[in-house]
C-alpha cells in the first residue's frame, strides 16, 4: 500500500518530476484560452490569463530548481510529460478534467477548479481510470492512488524535504547535493510576479514550495499571497463577478473597479482536438503539426536550460512567440467537418519526440 | 456577428482561393490573419459586389495548372482576363496590396474616370488589426512596429523568410532559416 510519506531522495525526485508535469500541464489550457480571444476584445481577461500563465512558468522553473537542488535531472521531453487532454486533476474525493478549450465560462470555471484552495488532510484516495488516461497529482508509484488535492501533493513534498534533510543532517550530511550552477535565478527570468531564487537548503526549499502554493490559492487567512499579490483562484474569480478584488475584500465579494467580459468573443475552437481530426495531407494539418514541433522544440530548449545551461531560457523566449503565432493562426481557421468549429493546437508532443527519435536512429544506422 | 450563410461562405472561399494565388501565401495563412471577411467586405464596399463576383468568377474559371506549361498557360490567362483588364486589373492589384499592408489604396484616377465614381475609394487602413496582420511583415521576416513582438533577444537571430509556393529550393538565401536564435551564441 503506497503511503503519502516520502522516505527516500529518489522518491522525492519522482515527486518533483510529477510536480513539474503538473505545473506545466496548466499552460496548454491557459495559453490556448488566452490566444483564442479575439483581438481587441476581453482586455481584462487577456491580462489576467497572461499573468497567471507567466506565473505557472515560474512555478515550473521553481520545481526544476527544487529537483536540481537534490541532484535530480529535470526532463520535459520524457514521454507522457505533456498529458493527453482532457487530463484529470484531483478535486477532493472526486476529480475533474482540464481540457484545451476556447476562452469562455466553461474554461474559466475549470481554471478556478485548478487553482482552488485545498482542504485535504494529506491523505491519498483511490480513483480508477481507463488505461491510457492522463492523470495529474497521482502517487509516483501507483496509478490508482491519488492525492486528495494539489495542496496535499505539495504538502507531501514539503514534509519529504523536511524529513529527509533532518535524517541526513543527523548523519552529518545533506540532501542538497546539487550543483548550485544549475539553479535558475532571476537574471534569466522576468515579467512575472514573485521572484526566482536558488534552492540550496531546507529554508529556500520550503520558501519555494510556499510560493508555488500561495500564488495559486492564496494564504490560509487571505486571498492575497505572501507578496501581496492576488492569488490565481481569485484572479479568475474576478471574471465571474465582473469586478476586481481590492485589499480587504472577502472571498467571492470583490468590491474593486468593474471589468467587462465578452464571453462570446473568442474563436469557436473544437475542444480537445487531435491531429486525427484534421483532414490528412492538408495545409491545416501541416499547421497543426508545425505547432507541435515548435512546442516540442520549446520543451527541449527549456530542458537544456534546466539541465545546467540556465542562459538558454533567454533563447526559449522567441520560441514562445513563435508558437503563439502558430496558435493564433490555427484558431482562426475553420476545421472541416467539425460542426462549424475552428482548429486548435493539439499538444500531441510525444508523437513529435518519437518521430524525431526514429529519424535520429535512422541517421545513425546510415552513418 | 451572425454565421455566414452557405452562399456567402463559398464566396469567401473563392476570395481566399484568388487571394492565395495572387499573394503566394496559403489559405490557412490567410485565414490565420483573421482578416479575410474584413478584406472581402472592404473590396465589396468600395467597388461593389458585382465587380468582385466577376473577378472571382473569372479566377474560378481559369484553366487548371498542370505541370510547368499548364502553370504558364494559367498565368497568361489570368494576366489577360484579370490583371491586364482596365477595370479588373487595378482592383486585383489592390487586393494584393490589401493583404500585404492592411491598407486599401485609392484606385488610379483613370479608373474612377472610366468606370464611375466610387465614393468610398480613398486610401485607408482597414482596421488596427489589419495593420498588425499585414503579410509584408511575415514576408520579410520582421514584425509590425509596436505589435506582435518576437521576444526579447530574438534580434540576435537572422530574419526568418518563409518559403513561398513556387520558390526554387536553391539559392540558399531562399531557404527557410531554422526557428531558434542560435542557442549557443546567447551570451551568458
Amino acid at each position: 500500500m503506497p503511503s503519502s510519506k516520502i522516505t527516500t531522495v529518489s522518491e522525492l525526485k519522482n515527486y518533483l518530476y510529477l510536480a513539474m508535469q503538473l505545473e506545466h500541464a496548466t499552460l496548454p489550457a491557459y495559453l490556448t484560452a488566452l490566444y483564442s480571444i479575439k483581438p481587441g476584445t476581453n482586455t481584462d481577461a487577456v491580462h489576467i490569463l497572461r499573468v497567471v500563465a507567466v506565473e505557472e512558468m515560474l512555478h515550473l522553473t521553481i520545481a526544476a530548481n527544487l529537483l536540481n537542488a537534490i541532484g535530480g535531472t529535470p526532463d520535459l521531453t520524457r514521454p507522457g510529460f505533456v498529458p493527453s487532454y482532457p487530463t484529470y486533476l484531483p478535486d477532493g474525493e472526486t476529480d475533474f478534467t482540464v481540457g484545451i478549450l476556447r476562452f469562455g465560462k466553461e474554461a474559466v470555471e475549470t481554471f478556478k477548479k485548478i487553482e482552488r484552495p485545498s482542504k485535504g488532510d494529506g491523505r491519498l484516495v483511490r480513483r480508477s481510470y481507463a488505461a491510457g488516461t492522463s492523470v495529474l497529482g497521482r502517487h509516483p508509484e501507483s496509478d490508482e492512488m491519488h492525492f486528495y488535492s494539489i495542496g496535499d501533493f505539495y504538502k507531501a513534498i514539503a514534509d519529504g524535504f523536511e524529513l529527509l534533510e533532518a535524517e541526513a543532517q543527523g548523519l552529518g550530511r545533506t540532501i542538497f547535493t546539487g550543483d548550485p550552477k544549475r539553479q535558475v535565478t532571476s537574471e534569466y527570468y522576468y515579467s512575472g510576479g514573485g521572484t526566482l531564487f536558488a534552492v540550496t537548503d531546507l529554508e529556500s526549499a520550503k520558501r519555494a514550495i510556499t510560493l508555488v502554493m500561495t500564488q495559486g490559492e492564496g494564504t490560509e487567512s487571505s486571498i492575497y499571497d505572501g507578496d501581496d499579490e492576488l492569488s490565481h483562484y481569485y484572479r479568475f474569480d474576478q471574471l465571474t463577478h465582473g469586478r476586481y478584488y481590492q485589499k480587504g475584500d472577502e472571498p467571492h465579494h470583490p468590491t474593486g473597479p468593474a471589468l467587462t467580459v465578452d464571453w462570446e468573443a473568442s474563436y469557436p475552437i473544437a475542444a480537445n482536438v487531435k491531429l486525427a481530426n484534421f483532414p490528412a495531407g492538408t495545409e491545416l494539418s501541416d499547421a497543426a503539426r508545425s505547432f507541435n514541433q515548435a512546442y516540442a522544440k520549446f520543451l527541449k530548449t527549456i530542458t537544456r536550460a534546466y539541465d545546467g545551461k540556465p542562459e538558454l531560457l533567454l533563447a526559449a523566449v522567441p520560441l514562445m512567440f513563435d508558437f503563439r503565432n502558430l496558435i493564433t493562426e490555427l484558431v482562426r481557421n475553420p476545421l472541416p467537418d467539425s460542426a462549424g468549429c475552428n482548429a486548435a493546437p493539439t499538444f500531441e508532443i510525444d508523437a513529435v519526440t518519437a518521430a524525431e527519435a526514429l529519424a535520429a536512429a535512422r541517421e545513425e544506422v546510415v552513418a | 456577428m451572425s454565421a455566414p450563410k452557405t452562399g456567402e461562405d463559398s464566396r469567401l472561399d473563392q476570395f481566399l482561393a484568388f487571394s492565395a494565388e495572387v499573394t503566394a501565401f496559403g489559405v490557412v495563412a490567410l485565414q490565420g490573419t483573421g482578416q479575410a471577411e474584413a478584406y472581402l467586405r472592404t473590396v465589396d464596399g468600395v467597388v461593389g459586389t458585382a465587380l468582385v463576383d466577376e473577378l472571382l468568377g473569372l479566377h474560378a474559371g481559369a484553366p487548371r495548372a498542370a505541370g510547368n506549361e499548364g502553370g504558364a498557360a494559367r498565368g497568361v490567362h489570368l494576366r489577360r482576363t484579370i490583371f491586364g483588364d482596365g477595370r479588373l486589373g487595378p482592383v486585383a492589384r489592390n487586393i494584393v496590396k490589401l493583404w500585404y499592408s492592411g491598407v486599401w489604396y485609392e484606385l488610379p484616377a483613370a479608373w474612377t474616370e472610366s468606370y464611375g465614381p466610387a465614393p468610398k475609394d480613398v486610401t485607408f487602413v482597414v482596421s488596427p488589426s489589419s495593420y498588425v496582420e499585414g503579410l509584408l511583415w511575415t514576408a520579410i521576416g520582421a514584425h509590425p512596429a509596436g505589435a506582435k513582438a518576437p521576444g526579447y533577444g530574438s534580434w540576435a537571430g537572422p530574419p526568418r523568410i518563409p518559403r513561398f509556393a513556387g520558390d526554387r529550393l536553391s539559392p540558399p538565401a531562399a531557404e527557410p532559416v531554422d526557428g531558434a536564435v542560435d542557442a549557443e551564441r546567447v551570451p551568458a
Side-chain angles (χ1 to χ4, degrees):
Chain A
M1 184 73 181
S3 134
S4 63
K5 198 169 156 190
I6 301 170
T7 52
T8 67
V9 171
S10 111
E11 249 185 316
L12 184 57
K13 286 179 186 169
N14 291 339
Y15 270 79
L16 289 168
Y17 168 78
L18 291 179
M20 290 184 71
Q21 184 193 38
L22 177 66
E23 294 301 332
H24 167 270
T26 58
L27 283 174
Y30 290 158
L31 293 176
T32 305
L34 170 61
Y35 298 140
S36 76
I37 292 174
K38 290 189 175 169
T41 72
N42 282 315
T43 44
D44 296 298
V46 165
H47 179 70
I48 288 170
L49 273 163
R50 192 186 170 281
V51 168
V52 173
V54 169
E55 291 188 350
E56 294 303 335
M57 294 182 198
L58 173 71
H59 298 176
L60 176 64
T61 308
I62 287 173
N65 276 354
L66 285 163
L67 183 51
N68 271 320
I70 55 166
T73 308
D75 184 0
L76 294 74
T77 64
R78 218 191 274 178
F81 180 80
V82 180
S84 171
Y85 293 94
T87 181
Y88 289 83
L89 266 175
D91 186 24
E93 293 295 339
T94 57
D95 57 22
F96 66 99
T97 56
V98 177
I100 304 295
L101 308 174
R102 68 185 283 191
F103 172 77
K105 282 188 173 152
E106 188 188 347
V108 170
E109 283 311 308
T110 305
F111 298 165
K112 280 165 68 178
K113 280 185 189 168
I114 294 175
E115 308 283 357
R116 186 152 74 172
S118 73
K119 293 190 195 78
D121 50 10
R123 73 200 148 92
L124 294 166
V125 287
R126 186 184 297 276
R127 301 190 196 98
S128 297
Y129 296 92
T133 310
S134 293
V135 185
L136 301 165
R138 68 178 172 82
H139 190 278
E141 268 130 60
S142 163
D143 283 344
E144 283 215 324
M145 299 312 287
H146 304 90
F147 280 90
Y148 186 82
S149 73
I150 299 303
D152 294 313
F153 175 74
Y154 276 112
K155 172 124 192 340
I157 292 176
D159 292 348
F161 267 105
E162 200 137 357
L163 176 84
L164 292 171
E165 180 61 3
E167 266 176 25
Q169 293 277 342
L171 300 167
R173 298 196 204 116
T174 176
I175 59 167
F176 295 96
T177 57
D179 181 352
K181 285 209 272 307
R182 294 168 64 87
Q183 294 290 314
V184 180
T185 45
S186 54
E187 70 244 59
Y188 304 117
Y189 193 94
Y190 59 97
S191 126
T195 46
L196 201 51
F197 47 85
V199 175
T200 50
D201 53 19
L202 188 60
E203 187 275 322
S204 48
K206 284 166 77 177
R207 197 147 48 92
I209 296 166
T210 304
L211 192 155
V212 170
M213 289 176 68
T214 61
Q215 255 189 359
E217 308 169 352
T219 62
E220 269 172 38
S221 56
S222 171
I223 61 176
Y224 288 84
D225 70 9
D227 288 334
D228 267 356
E229 257 201 278
L230 190 63
S231 70
H232 294 178
Y233 177 87
Y234 295 104
R235 282 180 194 267
F236 288 131
D237 197 42
Q238 297 175 134
L239 297 173
T240 309
H241 292 283
R243 191 166 287 284
Y244 283 107
Y245 279 100
Q246 57 187 356
K247 285 306 278 280
D249 281 348
E250 292 296 315
H252 309 296
H253 296 288
T255 63
L259 60 82
T260 50
V261 183
D262 182 350
W263 296 107
E264 297 306 311
S266 62
Y267 291 101
I269 62 170
N272 300 310
V273 74
K274 304 287 173 216
L275 271 177
N277 303 117
F278 287 71
T282 58
E283 204 187 329
L284 193 58
S285 68
D286 286 349
R289 213 164 267 123
S290 295
F291 167 77
N292 287 341
Q293 284 161 359
Y295 200 80
K297 185 172 185 173
F298 165 69
L299 290 181
K300 220 182 200 170
T301 305
I302 54 176
T303 295
R304 291 176 61 205
Y306 297 154
D307 190 21
K309 287 182 179 267
E311 68 277 9
L312 283 182
L313 273 193
L314 297 177
V317 172
L319 299 180
M320 291 192 249
F321 288 88
D322 274 352
F323 72 64
R324 173 201 63 186
N325 292 345
L326 291 164
I327 295 178
T328 54
E329 184 174 288
L330 281 168
V331 301
R332 290 166 179 177
N333 268 280
L335 181 67
D337 304 320
S338 68
C341 287
N342 280 12
T346 75
F347 288 96
E348 289 162 288
I349 307 305
D350 286 353
V352 178
T353 317
E356 279 175 2
L358 190 66
R362 281 211 185 109
E363 220 152 87
E364 215 157 90
V365 170
V366 173
Chain B
M1 199 161 54
S2 65
K5 293 181 197 78
T6 321
E8 285 168 327
D9 210 355
S10 73
R11 193 162 177 271
L12 180 67
D13 287 343
Q14 278 192 0
F15 178 66
L16 282 166
F18 171 75
S19 299
E21 185 155 11
V22 298
T23 60
F25 276 82
V27 168
V28 167
L30 297 183
Q31 289 266 51
T33 66
Q35 305 301 309
E37 288 92 348
Y39 289 166
L40 179 55
R41 254 195 324 271
T42 298
V43 189
D44 280 343
V46 177
V47 302
T49 51
L51 188 146
V52 177
D53 283 342
E54 190 184 334
L55 188 156
L56 297 180
L58 282 168
H59 176 255
R64 291 286 106 203
N68 283 342
E69 265 176 44
R74 182 174 170 85
V76 168
H77 182 88
L78 292 176
R79 270 199 296 282
R80 196 181 63 238
T81 57
I82 299 177
F83 284 90
D85 182 82
R87 195 163 59 97
L88 300 179
V91 176
R93 278 186 280 280
N94 255 19
I95 293 173
V96 179
K97 287 193 261 185
L98 191 53
W99 279 107
Y100 271 83
S101 65
V103 175
W104 174 268
Y105 285 91
E106 189 178 335
L107 288 161
W111 192 93
T112 25
E113 278 162 24
S114 309
Y115 306 109
K120 291 184 185 160
D121 179 35
V122 290
T123 297
F124 63 96
V125 182
V126 172
S127 72
S129 61
S130 73
Y131 156 75
V132 173
E133 298 294 343
L135 299 179
L136 81 95
W137 310 112
T138 314
I140 63 172
H143 69 98
K148 255 194 175 178
Y152 173 79
S154 60
W155 46 86
R160 287 183 296 141
I161 313 292
R163 183 183 285 154
F164 292 99
D167 270 359
R168 287 194 208 134
L169 292 185
S170 56
E175 289 285 300
V177 179
D178 183 28
V181 174
D182 184 351
E184 306 295 348
R185 282 176 39 217
V186 172

